[in-house]
């Protein structure tokens, strides 16, 4: 479900071909312009470089309305979700954010990672309902207009799949292969606490069972403490309504908890005294230990970081100055510090954190670095406000074994060869 | 203009509402009351004790027929797995270097089987099986795992009474469980 896999170059090429073909058919003026520019870029001549006047200054550009919903430059079309081509099936599957191609902390909605358990449903918001029942004084049904009438709030939180990555080889080649089931967005919705108060919690309310309106009717139980703390019912992401892949029209959002618990396409909340012990919290999303026991209800995503630039699959052009940049996060709160080592872990130095450092959001870190052109191993280590330190893979494996599967928050080092090629140092 | 008495009555009623326990209020007055029939139609989750299991029953033999038609293409003819998860075997492997997690070896509670099959299976047509058929398929899968006799019939009571072999092996979350000393020099 979240096995590390190579980027699907074939699929990208095919998609690129289909997109260009479609563009040529659908818009003669626009498509002609794009292809022309591409062709001139590919010929690698100096005709658009100083002292010459570039061709795109000699003719008007695309007219207003060419793209009613804006899309990235055609030169960025390789930046897409990382979807493996060898998955056993594509209905219960995941697609990764191309972390190594992104800057800052906000994931564009079209590149937000996806994990669904029975495909992406198409839901008419006018026909969507949220039922709230169980240990409440007044069971209620809300339509989407009702949900949007509640006082709203917006917060930036990361979301990460619990299986990101596996503990077993083969390990992925890129940052996306390794931890691409991670994204971060500004979420807008209503505090779940307000909605629960609307129905009135009864004595003995200890859990809330959340159920999706997808074909898996995915079900997870959430402790009432989380529901009354920072849990949200979310309808917008980065300013626009949720994408279908992210639960349109309504999802649960549990900051810092493993991603699957933020139930998408949310249709029902049952307040209960006990968890429901659904398949997804017993046979899946439990952590098998070497002694045969298994940890259940392992909600939090612990502190973690990864260098995204330079990272696996990239190439340093030459020795000299290079900024090391990456992302850090913790389900238990704020990132307090990120250490970076550029000598295979022998010494570490503190990276600079980009403000604002937000609770349960990605934090961008940076370290100026001068590469001397010799082979080197670089890596980062996050420390959160609880003083927890991101562990090495060896430290994790020593306690959990390689069949633990979920919650792998290991430090991931990159090897840089003398020719500048960056590869996974543990692969 | 209301009389003084009625104004006092209104004021008293208002005060009583305000003084009632917080959980009795609906602060925003948003949403409408869900009817018992509406709740009954959607309230499908079944806990580990089997509370909320519906009436009906199904036999292992009928379950085999359903399984062959609806499940075997993904889960294998005898539940050995394929595109879908392996469902059978693996008991005694969880503490070995090659653990095999199946319904029989790993799932802690039998009623979860009914819950999951009804809500999510078969993958191409979830919620299409009758409750009798879901009992039957559950019975067959349990039978393949040696947890039900081949001539058994399953219903709410019998499903709830099955004790899964791995039931006692789940523990709470002890994390943080790994300590990195955060060495800075001479590591």
């Amino acid at each position: 479900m979240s096995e590390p896999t190579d980027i699907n170059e074939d699929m990208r090429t095919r998609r690129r071909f289909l997109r260009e073909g479609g563009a040529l058919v659908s818009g003669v003026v626009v498509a002609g312009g794009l292809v022309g520019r591409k062709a001139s870029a590919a010929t690698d001549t100096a005709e658009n470089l100083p002292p010459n006047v570039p061709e795109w200054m000699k003719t008007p550009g695309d007219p207003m309305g060419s793209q009613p919903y804006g899309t990235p430059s055609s030169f960025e079309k390789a930046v897409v979700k990382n979807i493996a081509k060898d998955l056993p099936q594509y209905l219960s599957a995941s697609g990764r954010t191309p972390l190594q191609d992104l800057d800052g902390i906000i994931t564009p909605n079209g590149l937000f990672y996806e994990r669904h358990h029975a495909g992406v449903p198409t839901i008419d918001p006018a026909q969507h309902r949220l039922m709230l029942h169980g240990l409440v004084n007044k069971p209620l049904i809300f339509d989407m207009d009702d949900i949007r009438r509640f006082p709203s709030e917006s917060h930036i939180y990361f979301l990460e799949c619990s299986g990101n990555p596996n503990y077993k080889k083969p390990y992925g080649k890129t940052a996306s292969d390794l931890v691409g089931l991670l994204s971060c967005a500004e979420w807008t919705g209503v505090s779940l606490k307000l909605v629960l108060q609307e129905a009135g919690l009864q004595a003995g309310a200890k859990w809330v069972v959340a159920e999706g309106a997808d074909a898996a009717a995915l079900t997870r139980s959430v402790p009432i403490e989380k529901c009354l703390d920072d849990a949200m019912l979310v309808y917008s992401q980065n300013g626009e309504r949720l994408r279908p892949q992210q639960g349109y029209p309504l999802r649960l959002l549990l900051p810092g908890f493993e991603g699957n618990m933020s139930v998408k396409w949310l249709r029902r909340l049952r307040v209960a005294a006990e968890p429901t012990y659904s398949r997804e919290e017993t046979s899946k999303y439990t952590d098998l230990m070497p002694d045969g026991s298994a940890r259940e209800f392992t909600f939090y995503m612990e502190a973690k970081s990864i260098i995204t630039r330079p990272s696996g699959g990239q190439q340093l052009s030459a020795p000299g100055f290079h900024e090391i940049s990456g992302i850090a996060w913790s389900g238990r709160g704020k990132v307090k510090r990120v250490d970076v080592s550029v000598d295979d872990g022998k010494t570490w130095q503190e990276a600079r954190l980009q403000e604002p450092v937000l609770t349960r959001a990605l934090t961008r870190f940076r370290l100026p670095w001068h590469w001397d052109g010799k082979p080197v191993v670089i890596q980062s280590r996050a420390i959160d406000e609880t003083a927890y330190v991101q562990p090495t893979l060896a430290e994790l494996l020593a306690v959990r074994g390689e069949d633990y599967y979920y919650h792998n928050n290991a430090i991931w080092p990159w090897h840089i060869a003398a020719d500048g090629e960056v590869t996974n140092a543990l692969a | 203009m209301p009389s003084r008495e009625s104004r006092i009555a209104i004021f008293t009623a208002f005060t009583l509402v305000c003084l009632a326990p917080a959980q009795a209020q609906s602060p925003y007055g948003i949403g409408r009351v869900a009817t018992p029939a509406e709740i009954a139609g959607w309230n499908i989750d079944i806990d580990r004790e089997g509370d909320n299991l519906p009436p009906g029953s199904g036999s292992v033999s009928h379950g085999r027929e359903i399984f062959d038609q609806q499940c075997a293409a993904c889960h294998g003819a005898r539940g050995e797995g394929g595109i879908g998860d392996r469902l059978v075997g693996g008991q005694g492997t969880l503490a070995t270097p090659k653990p095999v997690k199946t319904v029989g070896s790993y799932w802690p509670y039998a009623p979860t089987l009914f819950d999951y099959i009804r809500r999510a299976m078969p993958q191409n047509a979830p919620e299409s099986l009758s409750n009798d058929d879901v009992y039957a398929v559950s019975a067959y899968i349990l039978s393949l795992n040696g947890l039900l006799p081949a001539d058994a019939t399953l219903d709410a009571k019998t499903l709830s009474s099955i004790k899964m072999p791995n039931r006692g092996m789940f523990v709470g979350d002890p994390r943080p469980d790994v300590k990195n000393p955060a060495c800075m020099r001479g590591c």
Side-chain angles (χ1 to χ4, degrees), chain A residues 243-317:
Chain A
R243 297 287 173 90
Q245 296 82 359
Q246 295 306 324
Y248 182 86
L250 186 68
R251 81 175 302 168
L252 187 60
L253 203 286
L254 303 175
F257 277 24
E258 57 183 24
N260 71 86
M261 297 184 70
S262 288
V263 175
K264 299 189 282 190
W265 315 291
L266 184 69
R267 77 155 193 170
R268 190 164 70 94
L269 295 169
R270 181 174 69 82
V271 181
E274 295 281 336
T276 195
Y277 293 93
S278 71
R279 180 252 200 185
E280 310 299 343
E281 56 202 24
T282 53
S283 88
K284 305 288 180 183
Y285 304 115
T286 47
D287 312 290
L288 180 63
M289 294 287 286
D291 68 357
S293 68
R295 296 171 176 176
E296 62 181 0
F297 302 123
T298 46
F299 303 136
Y300 281 100
M301 301 306 294
E302 295 183 294
K304 192 165 171 179
S305 69
I306 191 159
I307 294 171
T308 54
R309 199 173 60 132
S311 67
Q314 297 174 348
Q315 182 90 27
L316 292 188
S317 52

Side-chain angles (χ1 to χ4, degrees), chain A residues 10-209:
Chain A
D10 289 350
M11 188 174 280
R12 280 189 179 179
T13 308
R14 192 165 71 240
R15 205 178 290 141
R16 196 152 48 222
F17 172 78
L18 288 172
R19 218 186 291 168
E20 285 172 7
L24 280 170
V25 173
S26 64
V28 174
V29 175
V30 175
L34 291 177
V35 171
R37 282 180 216 164
K38 266 182 69 69
S40 66
T43 53
D44 195 27
T45 68
E47 66 190 44
N48 292 317
L49 302 180
N52 301 322
V53 176
E55 64 176 278
W56 43 85
M57 297 181 74
K58 298 176 183 171
T59 181
D62 301 335
M64 174 54 64
S66 303
Q67 284 194 351
Y69 192 102
T71 56
S73 160
S74 63
F75 296 98
E76 300 298 325
K77 59 179 59 167
V79 181
V80 293
K81 284 176 200 163
N82 173 6
I83 300 165
K85 67 178 173 186
D86 56 352
L87 298 177
Q89 54 145 310
Y90 287 79
L91 285 177
S92 180
S94 53
R96 299 161 175 276
T97 295
L99 297 171
Q100 65 278 4
D101 296 323
L102 301 180
D103 296 314
I105 62 168
I106 299 293
T107 311
N109 286 343
L111 297 176
F112 207 92
Y113 90 85
E114 295 179 48
R115 168 69 172 116
H116 16 88
H117 298 71
V120 179
T122 301
I123 298 178
D124 175 359
Q127 298 180 60
H128 186 73
R129 296 292 182 273
L130 174 67
M131 180 182 287
L132 168 56
H133 69 108
L135 294 177
V136 295
N137 293 327
K138 192 166 69 170
L140 292 171
I141 288 179
F142 305 100
D143 63 23
M144 285 308 300
D145 289 339
D146 294 330
I147 297 291
R148 289 180 58 82
R149 279 180 61 207
F150 280 103
S152 59
E153 52 186 63
S154 300
H155 301 281
I156 296 173
Y157 293 126
F158 79 82
L159 202 60
E160 183 185 15
C161 180
S162 55
N164 188 43
N166 198 344
Y167 292 75
K168 282 183 180 172
K169 290 189 174 185
Y171 300 130
K173 293 180 177 173
T174 68
S176 177
D177 294 343
L178 287 168
V179 294
L181 297 177
L182 164 80
S183 304
C184 184
E186 185 206 47
W187 308 94
T188 300
V190 50
S191 162
L192 176 55
K193 182 180 182 179
L194 292 189
V195 179
L196 293 175
Q197 285 175 343
E198 195 69 6
L201 292 177
Q202 294 183 341
K206 297 289 183 201
W207 294 80
V208 175
V209 180

Side-chain angles (χ1 to χ4, degrees), chain A residues 88-89 91 129 131 133 137-142 146 149-151 197-198 200-201 211 215-217 219 267-268 270 274 276-280 282-284 286 288 290-300 302 332 337 339 345-348 381 388-391 395-396 399-400 403 407 411, chain B residues 22-35 38-48 82-85 94-99 101 106-109 112 115-116 119-121 123-124 126-127 166 169-187:
Chain A
Q89 54 145 310
L91 285 177
R129 296 292 182 273
M131 180 182 287
H133 69 108
N137 293 327
K138 192 166 69 170
L140 292 171
I141 288 179
F142 305 100
D146 294 330
R149 279 180 61 207
F150 280 103
Q197 285 175 343
E198 195 69 6
L201 292 177
E211 181 180 85
T219 307
R267 77 155 193 170
R268 190 164 70 94
R270 181 174 69 82
E274 295 281 336
T276 195
Y277 293 93
S278 71
R279 180 252 200 185
E280 310 299 343
T282 53
S283 88
K284 305 288 180 183
T286 47
L288 180 63
D291 68 357
S293 68
R295 296 171 176 176
E296 62 181 0
F297 302 123
T298 46
F299 303 136
Y300 281 100
E302 295 183 294
R332 296 194 191 269
R337 197 178 94 205
D339 299 331
K346 292 184 195 65
T347 63
W348 296 76
R381 171 176 80 190
Y388 172 87
V389 183
Q390 180 183 8
E395 287 168 336
L396 283 168
V399 173
R400 301 177 180 177
D403 290 298
H407 301 289
I411 291 170
Chain B
Q23 62 264 35
Q25 296 178 26
S26 293
Y28 298 101
I30 296 175
R32 67 169 178 80
V33 171
T35 68
E38 287 173 324
I39 294 171
W42 277 22
N43 183 21
I44 59 171
D45 69 285
I46 293 158
D47 69 13
R48 62 178 169 173
I83 296 170
D85 283 357
L94 296 183
T96 73
K98 287 196 189 316
K101 293 195 264 189
Y106 194 64
W107 288 43
Y109 309 111
T112 310
D115 175 275
Y116 182 68
R119 74 173 58 243
M121 291 288 127
Q123 192 182 50
N124 61 326
E127 304 206 42
N166 200 44
M169 293 302 286
F170 287 81
V171 299
D173 185 356
R175 297 176 304 156
D177 57 344
V178 176
K179 193 161 172 55
N180 180 339
C183 165
M184 295 299 282
R185 295 273 171 269
C187 313

